[in-house]
Amino acid sequence: MQNSESATVAVVLPGTGSDAHFADRAFRAPLAALGVRIVAIEPDPRRVVDGYLDAMNSAADTYGRIIVGGVSIGAAVALQWAAANPDRTASVLAALPAWIGSADDAPAAASAKFTAGQLRSEGLEAVIAAMLASSPAWLGAELERSWRSQWPDLPAALDEAASYHSLGESELRAVGVPVGIASAVDDPVHPAAVAQSWAAALPRGAVATTTLDMIGRDPAVLGATCIKALAAIESDTTASA
């Protein structure tokens, strides 16, 4: 991975309502193959974003230059931290970005807001039952585990995610570190167009694609797809040198 040779640790952040278990499975094997150890952060549902930022600061204080990454809002917060800490960031692994700037029109934010409301009005068990009935089996199992672990603070975590303002296009254009982006072409909650927009705005960004079915069979596809995108950046840089 470009500019990542000196980084031996990667900090990875879960998506909205998800947990460290899934983030670990998404990134551990692909990074281990490159000799990089990962630290998957368990979200604090009472302060998701600040908790993530604190974790990256702590890791950089301990290990020096690090790789940062995540899924969905985890990817957005990782990129936010990288933009503010370019000298401490080797590269960014951004899986399934959900929006640019304001979340007002983002499907992922609308879903989080709706789920938070349902949890408050219907309760955890009823919402989990409905989710399991309407989700692929792999996703249902992942969310049931993480939702139970974050209850009763889960609605607050979902509301926080839905109101998160990610980097806008002008801010993305100022990010100098390489950013490998994984997009699932059939994911309506994390539109492929958002991933393409991130890559178009970032000076050193690239997208590689996968599918939800492939992620369901093996979450490590997400990390591998991010790394594939980073390799494309390195290849383009080498070719133009």
Side-chain angles (χ1 to χ4, degrees), residues 19-67:
D19 60 11
H21 178 80
F22 182 78
D24 185 277
R25 292 170 61 209
F27 291 101
R28 178 171 296 277
L31 285 169
L34 299 173
V36 176
R37 181 167 70 87
I38 81 161
V39 179
I41 304 304
E42 198 68 64
D44 180 347
R46 297 162 296 183
R47 53 188 303 273
V48 177
V49 173
D50 284 346
Y52 285 172
L53 295 173
D54 287 349
M56 289 182 285
N57 283 329
S58 178
D61 289 344
T62 301
Y63 302 108
R65 202 154 165 260
I66 57 174
I67 300 165

Side-chain angles (χ1 to χ4, degrees), residues 64 76 109 129 219 225 238 240:
T225 303
T238 302
S240 61

